[in-house]
Amino acid sequence: MKNAISNVQKKDFRDWLLAAVLIVFVFALIFVLEKILPRTSMLFTVLKKGAIYALVAVSMNLLNGFTGLFSLGQAGFMMIGAYTYAVFTIPAALRPAVYQYFDGGLIQFAIPVFAAILLAGLAAAFFAFLIALPVLRLKSDYLAIATLGFAEIMRALFQWDKLGAITNGSNLLRKYPVFRSTIFPFAVSGICIALIVLLINSTYGRAFKAIRDDEVAAEAMGINLASHKRLAFAVSSFFAGISGALLAMFQTTIQASQFKSAMTYEILLIVVIGGIGSVSGSVISSMLFIACSEWWLRFLDNNNLNIGSFHVPLLRPGFRKVVFAAVIMVIVIFYQRGIMGEKEFSIKGARAFFKSLLKKGGKKSAVKAGGGK
């Protein structure tokens, strides 16, 4: 018995060690690429934005996929996080230039970057807690409409001139600290996603899944539906707020008009493509989505594309969106449960997959050696 336990512990330690080595390898690879490639390379744009969208997609999946609450307010919480970060990190000496129509603004101090990122998450979670009290009484489509309405109301409020001393009204927020390295958003998003995974695998995460599967049975088991739903909603919004702060740093300027409902639909699409109920799927689909929309299909917008002496017809600005939509339709048709479904990528799963491939290869070689019998 002791030997069996020790063997399991050794395997778990080996898996954790392999995961740590893989993470170190990824960060080392990014560091080397930053030294080799120019900073204007589209690869870094995709990696930065992909990491940010991976975090917000996982936060949305926590709510929609693991708790079964259909919310469409993610863009609103990202906006709250982005504005909170920007407002509290603009240096006092630069505020008169930013708040030029509002006498330098109301806030005349700046806080450190990491404190502002944490504050961005807390601000989003605070608003989520406030609206959760009345909104979470609704279900299904009604909850989605209510949260979408909240996001639109917040977007209008942030552009209201009466709040201009804080939000700068409909004007841009700028001159706040931004990240220069790709490693920074990767590190912050990675830590946040790891915390979400730990939450999902905890007793709270099991309670969330029970609520998703059957609310009546979950309540009969002693799970407080209201408190657990509020907790899931607040935690999801907290990480959405952090992703909003990272997006503000990525874009270097922030305006409320950027956080339209289309942004929420993009995030929802990423979650569906990756697999509702799969953290790994959300991360993978985020990278693929950003790579396709921002990089790989850009050549389709060039109406002067020639291959040798042949002029490629139909191509024009915006054509990549048509092709991108067709690609998404194909993925949804052939992968109705998403790329990963409800499965997760793991070191154990990867090892089992490669072992099965080796066994199949061994069987095929044995059949050939035996004359095809």
Side-chain angles (χ1 to χ4, degrees):
M1 184 68 180
K2 290 182 179 179
N3 291 332
I5 294 173
S6 62
N7 289 333
V8 170
Q9 290 176 343
K10 286 180 180 178
K11 286 183 178 179
D12 290 340
F13 175 75
R14 196 181 306 155
D15 291 335
W16 280 106
L17 183 62
L18 286 172
V21 170
L22 181 62
I23 292 170
V24 171
F25 173 76
V26 169
F27 279 97
L29 180 61
I30 293 173
F31 179 79
V32 172
L33 288 174
E34 285 188 328
K35 297 297 182 181
I36 298 174
L37 299 176
R39 291 189 177 274
T40 55
S41 173
M42 279 301 298
L43 175 62
F44 298 130
T45 300
V46 170
L47 290 176
K48 291 174 186 177
K49 196 171 181 180
I52 296 167
Y53 269 66
L55 175 56
V56 70
V58 171
S59 73
M60 189 178 203
N61 212 344
L62 172 65
L63 198 60
N64 291 23
F66 291 96
T67 316
L69 298 176
F70 189 29
S71 170
L72 292 177
Q74 224 68 6
F77 296 118
M78 286 184 72
M79 181 183 67
I80 292 171
Y83 265 80
T84 301
Y85 171 81
V87 166
F88 284 97
T89 54
I90 298 173
L94 301 178
R95 287 182 181 273
V98 177
Y99 290 88
Q100 56 183 331
Y101 301 109
F102 300 98
D103 299 325
L106 181 65
I107 298 172
Q108 293 297 320
F109 63 90
I111 63 176
V113 169
F114 283 103
I117 291 174
L118 181 60
L119 184 62
L122 292 173
F126 173 74
F127 278 95
F129 180 79
L130 290 181
I131 70 163
L133 298 175
V135 165
L136 291 184
R137 297 176 183 272
L138 305 172
K139 293 182 180 180
S140 187
D141 299 341
Y142 299 102
L143 175 60
I145 293 170
T147 51
L148 182 62
F150 162 77
E152 292 298 310
I153 291 170
M154 293 302 296
R155 185 162 63 88
L157 281 175
F158 276 45
Q159 295 180 95
W160 190 27
D161 286 342
K162 297 294 184 181
L163 295 177
I166 299 174
T167 64
N168 207 22
S170 58
N171 305 299
L172 289 171
L173 284 176
R174 51 197 174 88
K175 298 185 181 299
Y176 49 79
V178 299
F179 49 71
R180 301 298 181 186
S181 173
T182 309
I183 294 176
F184 185 84
F186 252 81
V188 175
S189 295
I191 292 170
C192 292
I193 291 172
L195 292 174
I196 294 174
V197 171
L198 290 175
L199 176 63
I200 291 171
N201 293 326
S202 69
T203 54
Y204 288 102
R206 288 191 285 272
F208 294 158
K209 294 175 184 177
I211 293 171
R212 174 196 64 188
D213 295 335
D214 192 329
E215 289 191 6
V216 176
E219 192 171 23
M221 292 169 60
I223 296 173
N224 189 322
L225 298 183
S227 64
H228 279 83
K229 285 182 179 180
R230 284 196 297 269
L231 176 63
F233 198 64
V235 170
S236 173
S237 303
F238 173 81
F239 289 110
I242 290 179
S243 66
L246 294 177
L247 186 64
M249 299 176 77
F250 170 75
Q251 294 184 165
T252 69
T253 60
I254 282 296
Q255 193 173 26
S257 59
Q258 299 169 349
F259 296 90
K260 296 180 180 179
S261 56
M263 180 180 285
T264 297
Y265 300 146
E266 284 184 353
I267 300 166
L268 180 61
L269 182 61
I270 289 171
V271 172
V272 172
I273 291 174
I276 297 178
S278 172
V279 173
S280 306
S282 295
V283 174
I284 294 170
S285 62
S286 297
M287 291 298 177
L288 291 176
F289 181 89
I290 298 300
C292 288
S293 60
E294 300 287 341
W295 187 14
W296 294 341
L297 300 180
R298 281 282 181 182
F299 71 95
L300 296 174
D301 288 348
N302 184 8
N303 56 359
N304 293 319
L305 182 64
N306 296 311
I307 301 176
S309 59
F310 176 73
H311 176 71
V312 181
L314 297 178
L315 301 187
R316 63 193 72 250
F319 187 71
R320 66 185 168 91
K321 294 184 179 180
V322 177
V323 176
F324 188 52
V327 171
I328 291 171
M329 288 175 63
V330 171
I331 293 174
V332 171
I333 290 171
F334 289 97
Y335 294 92
Q336 295 182 2
R337 296 177 62 85
I339 296 172
M340 295 292 291
E342 293 185 358
K343 298 178 182 178
E344 298 289 356
F345 173 81
S346 64
I347 301 297
K348 291 181 181 179
R351 285 168 57 188
F353 175 74
F354 285 116
K355 282 183 179 179
S356 66
L357 286 180
L358 291 173
K359 286 182 180 178
K360 288 179 181 178
K363 288 180 181 178
K364 286 182 180 179
S365 60
V367 169
K368 288 180 180 179
K373 293 181 182 179

